Every structure is written in C-alpha cells, then in structure tokens.
C-alpha cells in the first residue's frame, strides 16, 4: 500500500508492531490503541518515535494526555463510507492540538483525499497505486471551500467579507 | 431568489469536473460499482429499474424562469421530454444515460443549479416553506438560513460520510408548511421573550420504516449559533449514530435510544467547545448571503380588483380554480398561485419540457420571473397581481396546469413506485391515476373538502404515506401487490402519524376501498366544514373500518 | 416485486435468466449463452434454476459492462416465447405501466 505524505509517495519510516510482539527500540513503531494505553509510560520511554493506530469507535479524548509525546496517530477507514475518522481527526487537531503525523488508513481512495486533508490528515495509506499517483491532481480540483476546518484555508464566507472590505470588522 | 456569486459558481463547476472524472474512471473499469455508487449518489445519480435517474436540487424550492428553461432543456436534450417534481424540492429525470450525466450536470450548472448531495449519506437539499418570502404569517425569510446551511454543508470535510442521509427543514411562519417535525433536524424560527428572532431546534423526526415525530432539544437558538449548533449535532451523530444496521442508522434512532435529554446534553457539551470559534456567525456574513437574494419590486395595488370579483361571481370554472389554487399574499393586490401538476389521470408531479417552458414564460409575464416548487409535487407562481389572475388562468388551462384540485382529494402525492423504482414493492402512480379519475368531478371534490392522499410504493415512504390524511403503502404478498391504508396522519404543526385501518387490500381493490373511506367520512362528519382529518381525530378509525370492511 | 437482493435470496424455481442494467446507459440487459449482454429477452440464455448460479457468477465477474446482475424468473409461453416471470420484470422489460407524459 503506497504511503503519501506531503503530497509525495514516500517510504514508510514506521513499522507496525502486533499487539503481542515487542516494540524494538531505535525504530519508529506503530502500536494498537488498547496496547498503547496499557503500556503508555513504557512505550513513551523509548527513544524512537511512537505511533498509535486508533479505532474509529472510541473517543480520541483518551489519547489527549499523551498527544505531545506521540509522533503519529493513524485513524481507520474500514470502508470509505464510514466517516467517523473525519470527526476524530478534527478533534485531534482542533480540540486537542495534536501536531504530529495524522495518517488515514484502510479503504482510502483518491475521492476522499481532499476531505481528509481538510479534516487534518497529512499522510495517507492509499488502497490503490493509481490513486496515490493522482494525489496532486485530485487535491487541486477545488479551490472554493465553505467550511472553516482548521486546515487554514480561507472560507468563502471570509472571502466575501474581505472582498467588500468588511473583513476587519468580521474578524 | 438567491443568485450564485463567483464562489458558488466555481464550486459547482469544479464539482462537475470532478464527477466527469469519476464517471470516466467507472466507464474505464478503474472504479468498481461499489466504489462508484457512493460517488454517483452524492451527485444525485441513482440506478432505477430501466435507467439512471438524476435528482437535481431546487434549493428551498425557488427557481428563476431561466432555471426552469434550463430544466426543460435537460428534459429535452438528455431525457424523454419530462421531469418529476418531488416532495423535497427536487426534480428527477428518469432516463438519463450515465455517459451523458456529466454534460447534463454542466448544463444545470450553467443556470446555477446542481445535484450535489441530493442523495448519499450526507446533508441533503435543505427544504423550507414553499411560500417563504411571501406568506402572510411569516416573520423572516427562512431561505437565507437554508442557503447559509446549504453552503456550509456542501462538500463538508467532516460530514460527507454520515451513518445515513440527513434532512433539514426550516420554517419561519406560524403555520408549518415545511414539515419540520419529520426531519432529522427541523428548525422553526421563533421569537423569544425579548423579541429576538432565533430557532427552535427539533431533532430525530422522520418517516420511513420507523416513523418518529421530532423532539425539541433547544427551545431557542440565537442566530449567531446557527452553524455551530448544527455542527455539534452532526458531530455527535457522525460519531455515535449506528452504522451496523442501515435501518437503525438515522439520527432518530440515536435520539430514541439515548433519549432526547441525553442526546441534547451530548450536543450541548460538544457545542460549548465550538460555539465561540470560527463558526460563530457574524451579522456581516449573514448580510452577505442575504444580499444575493432579490425581491420583486411590487406595484402599489389594492386587493380584490373589481374585474376579479366579477369573474369569481360570474364564471364558476374560474371560481373553482380560484378557490383551490389562489392563496393570500402579504403584498396587497398580489396572490400566490399554485399550478396543479395533478391533471386527472396523469402521473402526479410530472411536467413536460413544453410545460416547463410555458411556466417559465408565464413566470416572466406574471410573477417577476420566479417559480416555486412545493412539497405537494405542485409548482407555485409566488407573486401574481390579482388583476392578472383571469388571464393567467386562461393561459394555464391551455397547458393543462389549471386543474382545480389543489389541496383536494385528487391532489395526490405519490412516489415513483414500481413503475420506476428498484426498491418498490408495488406501483404508486397508477393507483394515484385511478383515484384522480374516481374523484374527477370538481363539485364532488369540493364537497369533500381538504383531503391529502399520500402513496408510497414501499416502506421507505418517499410518498410520505404516514402523514397523509389517507396514507397508502404498497407491500408485497406472495409476489402480488397489496396496499395498507392509514388514516389521520398530518404534517403540520400538529404532526401525527396515521393509524392503520385494517388488512391490506389488492391492487384491483384499492381505489374502491379509498372511495368507501371517503364516503364513510361524508356520512360521519358532523358538518360539511369538518375536515377529513378532524373527523378521524374525533372518531378514530373504527367507524371507518366497520363501514369499509363490512361490505367485503 | 422485490429488490434484486431479495430476489437473489428467494428460491426461484423453473426457468430463469440473468439480468442487469447496462453500465453506460442503464438499459435492461440479459445475459446470453456466449457471455454477452443483450437487450432482447428472446436472445437471453434461459436456464433451469439450478444452472443459473454458474451463469450469474460469470456475469458478476463482468463488472464493467453491466451493473447488479441477478437471477430473474421467466415464463415460457407457447412457441418457445420467453416472457418475464413477474410484474417487476415485466415493467423492467416494457417500461412503466402508464403512458409517459408528453407521449401521445
Ligand atoms: S417509497 Fe419505496 S417505492 Fe417509493 S420511491 Fe421510495 S423507495 Fe421507491
């Protein structure tokens, strides 16, 4: 599965570690959410970066105390019609201030890239090679956005005010 | 009506180009049907029994004459020369080729129309009172709010893959013509003690397999909090709505399972965290949207000009049409005119391209170029000078748009049913057609009075049978079409679901049975002014049941 | 009378065909014996219900030309004429059961 980061297909520097297996020090690993919570203090002692793959039916609030020390959170899209991960992503970014890598994993298709980007994801484990290759094209299709979502893009509502010089007043 | 600005227009065009690429990938085999289905539904494309169907949005039911001509063009160029106006302020074209769908959408975009989110598990076309902006009992135009929410919910980065579809309705009048209590979110504009206008927020209403009347979770919401509060509702629903069972995935089930109070508390909690953020609505933002709405420049006229009064007293056919089709306008000397798309023996809600063009011309001549789509599968000319009514009526007659049955028994709402729909159990349209023939006599229809018949071809309830004064639901028994009948449903501020009359009846019997029900009502009502629903409310369904089934 | 999905579940006895909608325009099509699709019911492969599974499996593998294949009942009329086996299939073949608007 190709990994897209910052718009490029890249090598994954993280290794997934199964729940029973030990997490070797010195390499970046991703562990399951339940295991992470159970062993958080030990795992966070390691010198290499730690990532967590978080299920989409559990509140991301449980991760909040650790987020400044976690390098990556991977959220799951078991099917691309299951949109819970979008809410989790926005909460992680906009409410809990997570600044690490936010990865979408599962059934991730090019038709979701822009939604995912706007929700705060910055890396994508893409199901199809052709979709990964089409990342740039698919995310440039739109330049008009209505919703403020924490990705910093100007919304239409704001742009309208700027245009008529009401921007300052509307803040 | 609202006119797109350059941002709105750009977004719709970008969406068409994205869909063009999606269709291309599907036709080339790069997308499976499972993948493509979700993408096409979000652009309003269904696969029906015989062909693809396109559902285009008519936001808050307002159309310009040019947009109506655009619809006529689409009907002519890509379809078989007609379209179907639905109960949710959409239009459906039944015969469009997938290969031509992108061009169709581009044509719609060229007149400021779109099909975005008319299907799929996202926020659907937001509906309002069909008489918004002209109703006498309204204190603010709800379409401004529908438009703000339309924009905010379009390609929403968080809520495009909800557990299930999500329908919002907004009403701003004392009398609810938007059925806000049977929507996922119903918003009723109200005034608080201090005289400020805001919203009562109702959630968890809906029809379908498990009908519920919505519950009020916030009696008064300030305008500035309009988007943030809706965002909070959607966020709670997106995370906690059920995804394990498609029949339990609507927000009404979540509200029911959690209880309205607990649900409201969850929303409140979420809302508190975001209410002072980027979604707080600045009055300037509201004003910028409102500024794109244009309103007619009315003449100063007085009510009931003498020519009109004369026509009403001298021409019985005109008087019958006037009584059914013409309603009060808040501007003196003007009227709201409903165009019946329910000709005797015709499929409810259909209009041909020629009719659409004619309506566009009549709107230009008589209604400041504006047309509305109601919830009863009829069209409306919202600003007609009363002095023009006779002439308009004559013109409408030439185009079979003046059947004097608006609000009467033959003004039937029917879903497409088994004649088009791949989910149907039974046909709806031929049942409606037969019933209009049974009640074709205008004098008979008038003596029966206001009576809404609603027909759905399956439990999905697209014909809103639960809230019909008489509801008819198609079911299947051993491969045969049967129909269940409910009585006493209503969609207004006293919204209520109908009560089952008795065992389902066959296709061949349904029209007879409905005739018997109506006869029973005429015999049972206390006085001619007592409406069908009120008789049912007073007596229950038992006396109807006795009369109808005794003979069988 | 039932959704394709339910039809699949329901036991269908007697003669059947495999039917679907053509991808490009949605037209109703039937599977032929040589693994093509036709809009002509008379040209469809008519098989006994037990043999239909194989025909369906091959149709399902062909996900690009047609959408949503399923097994539908047919009736054999005198002279080997093939007729749709229920109302739903009759409507799919012949179109809506009333005159379409604008058609005189
Ligand atoms: S109610 Fe059923 S039959 Fe009617 S249009 Fe909806 S899904 Fe189809």
């Amino acid at each position: 599965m190709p990994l897209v980061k910052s718009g490029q297909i890249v090598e994954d520097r993280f290794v997934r570690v199964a729940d029973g297996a030990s997490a070797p020090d010195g390499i970046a690993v991703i562990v399951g959410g339940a295991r992470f919570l159970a062993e958080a203090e030990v795992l966070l002692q390691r010198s290499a970066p730690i990532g967590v793959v978080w299920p989409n039916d559990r509140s991301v609030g449980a991760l909040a105390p650790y987020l400044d020390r976690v390098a990556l959170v991977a959220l799951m899209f078991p099917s691309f019609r299951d949109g819970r991960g979008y809410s989790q992503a926005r909460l992680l970014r906009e409410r809990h201030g997570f600044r690490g890598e936010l990865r979408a994993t599962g059934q991730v298709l090019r038709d979701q890239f822009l939604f995912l980007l706007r929700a705060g994801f910055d890396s994508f484990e893409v199901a199809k090679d052709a979709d990964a290759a089409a990342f740039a094209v698919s995310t440039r299709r739109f330049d008009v956005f209505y919703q403020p979502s924490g990705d910093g893009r100007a919304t239409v509502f704001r742009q309208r005010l700027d245009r008529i010089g009401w921007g300052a007043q509307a803040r | 009506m609202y006119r797109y600005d350059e941002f709105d227009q750009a977004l719709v065009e970008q969406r068409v180009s994205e869909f063009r690429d999606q269709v291309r990938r599907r036709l080339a085999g790069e997308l499976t049907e499972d993948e493509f289905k979700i993408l096409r539904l979000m652009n309003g494309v269904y696969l029906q029994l015989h062909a693809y169907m396109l559902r285009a949005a008519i936001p808050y039911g307002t159309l310009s004459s040019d947009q109506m001509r655009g619809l006529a063009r689409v009907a002519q160029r890509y379809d078989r020369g007609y379209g179907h106006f639905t109960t949710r302020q959409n239009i459906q074209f039944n015969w469009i080729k997938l290969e031509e769908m992108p061009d169709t959408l581009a044509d719609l975009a060229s007149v400021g129309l779109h099909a975005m989110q008319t299907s799929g598990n996202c926020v659907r076309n937001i509906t309002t009172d069909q008489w918004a902006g002209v109703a006498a009992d309204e204190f603010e135009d709800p379409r401004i709010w529908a438009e703000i929410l339309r924009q905010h919910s379009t390609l929403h980065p968080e809520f495009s893959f909800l557990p299930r579809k999500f329908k919002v309705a907004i009403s701003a009048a004392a009398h609810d013509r938007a059925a806000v209590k049977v929507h996922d979110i119903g918003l009723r504009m109200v005034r608080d003690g201090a005289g400020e206008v805001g919203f009562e927020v109702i959630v968890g209403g809906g029809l379908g397999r498990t009908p519920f009347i919505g519950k009020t979770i916030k009696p008064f919401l300030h305008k500035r909090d309009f988007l943030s509060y809706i965002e909070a509702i959607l966020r709670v629903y997106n995370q906690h709505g059920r995804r394990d069972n498609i029949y339990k995935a609507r927000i009404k089930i979540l509200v029911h399972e959690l209880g309205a109070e607990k649900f409201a508390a969850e929303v409140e909690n979420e809302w508190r965290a975001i209410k002072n953020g980027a979604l707080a609505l600045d009055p300037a933002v509201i004003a910028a949207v409102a500024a794109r709405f244009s309103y007619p420049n009315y003449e100063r006229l007085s009510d009931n000009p003498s020519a009109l009064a004369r026509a009403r007293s001298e021409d019985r056919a005109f008087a019958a049409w006037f009584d059914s089709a013409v309603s009060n306008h808040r501007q003196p000397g003007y009227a709201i005119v409903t165009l019946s798309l329910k000709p005797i023996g015709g499929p409810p809600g259909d209009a041909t391209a020629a009719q659409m063009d004619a309506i566009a011309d009549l709107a230009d001549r008589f209604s400041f170029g504006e047309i509305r789509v109601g919830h009863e599968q009829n069209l409306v000319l919202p600003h007609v000078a009363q002095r023009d009514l006779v002439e308009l009526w004559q013109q409408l007659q030439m185009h079979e748009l003046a059947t004097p049955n608006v609000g009467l028994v033959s003004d039937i709402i029917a879903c497409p049913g088994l004649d088009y729909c791949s989910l149907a159990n039974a046909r709806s349209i031929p049942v409606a057609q037969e019933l209009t023939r049974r009640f074709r006599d205008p004098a008979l229809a008038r003596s029966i009075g206001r009576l809404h018949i609603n027909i759905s071809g399956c439990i999905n309830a697209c014909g809103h049978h639960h809230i019909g004064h008489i509801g008819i639901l198609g079911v299947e028994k051993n491969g045969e079409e049967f129909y269940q009948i409910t009585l006493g449903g209503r969609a207004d501020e006293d919204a209520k679901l109908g009560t089952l009359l008795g065992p389902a009846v066959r296709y061949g019997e349904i029209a007879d049975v409905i005739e018997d029900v109506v006869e029973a009502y005429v015999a049972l009502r206390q006085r001619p002014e007592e409406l069908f629903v009120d008789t049912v409310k007073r007596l229950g369904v038992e006396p109807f049941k006795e009369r109808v089934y005794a003979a069988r | 009378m039932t959704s394709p999905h339910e039809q699949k579940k329901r036991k269908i006895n007697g003669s059947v065909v495999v039917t679907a909608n053509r991808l490009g325009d949605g037209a109703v099509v039937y599977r032929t014996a040589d693994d093509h699709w036709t809009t002509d019911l008379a040209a469809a492969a008519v098989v006994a219900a037990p043999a239909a599974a194989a025909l369906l499996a091959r149709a399902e593998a062909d996900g690009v030309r047609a959408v949503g294949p399923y097994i539908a009942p047919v009736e054999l009329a005198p002279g080997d004429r093939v007729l749709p086996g229920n109302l739903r299939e009759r409507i799919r073949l012949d179109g809506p059961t009333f005159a379409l608007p604008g058609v005189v």
Side-chain angles (χ1 to χ4, degrees), chain C residues 8-81:
Chain C
K8 262 188 256 173
K9 280 189 305 190
R10 179 188 296 174
K11 212 150 177 63
I12 296 176
N13 298 311
S15 300
V16 299
V17 293
V18 167
T19 180
N21 291 84
R22 194 157 61 195
L23 176 65
D25 64 359
V28 173
V29 287
Y30 304 94
R31 192 75 176 173
T32 61
D34 58 353
D35 288 334
H36 287 287
W37 293 101
T38 174
T39 53
D40 180 9
L41 180 55
V46 178
V47 298
L55 192 63
L56 178 63
R58 287 204 303 280
E60 278 171 340
D62 178 7
V64 178
R65 288 183 296 170
V67 182
Y70 62 95
I71 296 168
V74 289
E75 276 170 26
L76 297 180
D80 271 353
R81 279 197 323 130

Side-chain angles (χ1 to χ4, degrees), chain B residues 133-447:
Chain B
V134 291
D137 61 342
E138 157 186 298
F139 45 93
E140 194 170 305
D141 191 340
R143 293 173 302 171
I144 292 163
W145 297 96
E147 178 60 24
I148 290 173
L149 189 53
R150 179 192 78 82
Q151 296 181 13
H152 180 71
S153 59
T154 294
L155 296 180
H156 196 294
E158 184 177 349
F159 306 130
S160 291
F161 303 92
L162 294 168
R164 198 79 175 84
K165 59 187 168 186
F166 203 90
K167 301 179 180 176
V168 181
I170 309 179
S171 148
H175 181 66
D176 173 17
R177 284 173 292 263
V180 295
K181 287 188 179 169
V182 290
H183 279 77
D184 296 284
I185 295 181
L187 297 161
R188 218 160 65 84
M189 298 199 83
V190 289
R191 215 182 277 279
D192 72 356
E196 186 191 331
V197 175
F199 302 88
E200 175 187 349
V201 184
I202 299 159
V203 294
L207 300 173
R209 201 170 288 255
T210 330
F212 279 109
I213 301 293
K215 314 257 182 340
T216 298
I217 57 166
K218 192 148 194 84
F220 190 84
L221 181 71
H222 294 279
K223 287 176 177 176
R224 76 180 284 278
D225 302 325
F226 176 75
L227 288 182
S228 58
Y229 195 79
I230 291 171
E231 188 103 330
I233 294 175
L234 285 167
R235 184 168 285 166
V236 169
Y237 172 55
N238 190 40
Q239 294 184 96
H240 302 295
R242 288 182 60 171
R243 292 176 189 262
D244 57 331
N245 179 340
I246 183 176
Y247 301 120
K248 300 198 167 165
R250 293 289 288 269
I251 196 174
K252 61 192 174 186
I253 305 293
L254 179 64
V255 173
H256 178 73
E257 286 180 354
L258 277 182
E261 270 173 36
K262 179 122 194 287
F263 178 82
E266 292 261 349
V267 170
E268 200 71 20
N269 219 0
E270 179 57 41
W271 177 56
R272 241 178 272 128
I274 59 175
K275 65 185 278 202
N276 294 319
L279 286 175
L281 269 175
D282 193 287
V285 167
I286 303 167
V289 172
R292 305 291 301 175
F293 278 84
S294 55
Y295 294 88
N297 206 346
Y298 298 113
E299 279 177 70
R300 295 183 55 136
L301 300 172
S302 46
D303 274 332
N304 214 4
S306 55
L308 172 63
R310 207 173 325 117
R312 286 179 65 188
S313 68
E314 287 171 7
D315 187 334
R316 286 178 51 192
F318 174 76
W321 173 78
F322 180 96
D323 289 341
S324 84
V326 179
S327 310
N328 289 336
H329 197 286
R330 65 177 176 211
Q331 182 71 21
Y334 285 84
I336 303 171
V337 176
T338 302
L339 278 42
S340 172
L341 295 182
K342 315 289 176 68
I344 301 304
D350 285 4
T352 64
Q355 284 178 316
M356 293 183 215
D357 278 331
I359 292 166
D361 292 347
L362 292 173
D364 280 339
R365 248 179 94 192
F366 296 114
S367 183
F368 296 88
E370 189 179 326
I371 300 139
R372 302 290 180 88
V373 183
H375 302 287
E376 287 88 28
Q377 301 173 330
N378 288 320
L379 297 174
V380 175
L381 293 181
H383 323 279
V384 180
Q386 292 172 14
R387 59 156 189 248
D388 295 333
L389 283 171
V390 174
E391 200 185 341
L392 173 63
W393 170 65
Q394 287 161 348
Q395 296 284 328
L396 290 174
Q397 280 181 306
M398 295 188 339
H399 300 286
E400 284 188 85
L401 293 164
T403 312
N405 61 353
V406 175
L408 299 179
V409 59
S410 57
D411 186 2
I412 296 168
I413 291 175
C415 79
L418 189 58
D419 286 289
Y420 292 105
C421 174
S422 55
L423 303 172
N425 288 320
R427 285 173 288 169
S428 306
I429 295 169
V431 173
Q433 289 174 307
E434 179 57 21
L435 287 172
T436 62
R437 289 184 204 108
R438 301 288 176 104
F439 297 105
R440 71 183 315 150
D441 174 11
L444 170 67
R446 258 200 321 282
S447 75

Side-chain angles (χ1 to χ4, degrees), chain B residues 46 48 53 55 92 165 414-428 455-465 473-474:
Chain B
Y46 284 78
Q48 299 274 71
M53 180 267 272
R55 178 186 293 155
Q92 297 181 174
K165 59 187 168 186
C415 79
L418 189 58
D419 286 289
Y420 292 105
C421 174
S422 55
L423 303 172
N425 288 320
R427 285 173 288 169
S428 306
I455 311 175
S456 302
C458 81
I459 193 72
N460 288 324
C462 304
H464 300 173
H465 62 277
L473 165 65

Side-chain angles (χ1 to χ4, degrees), chain B residues 455-513:
Chain B
I455 311 175
S456 302
C458 81
I459 193 72
N460 288 324
C462 304
H464 300 173
H465 62 277
H466 297 107
I467 50 174
H469 297 173
I470 297 178
I472 300 176
L473 165 65
V475 293
E476 190 230 326
K477 282 192 191 171
N478 304 322
E480 230 191 299
E481 297 167 289
F482 272 77
Y483 297 87
Q484 281 179 359
I485 300 161
T486 50
L487 302 184
R490 60 203 299 170
D492 55 11
E493 53 285 348
D494 301 318
K496 195 177 166 313
L497 305 171
T499 308
L500 193 64
L501 180 67
V505 302
R506 285 190 157 72
Y507 180 79
E509 299 170 318
I510 179 72
D512 292 344
V513 170

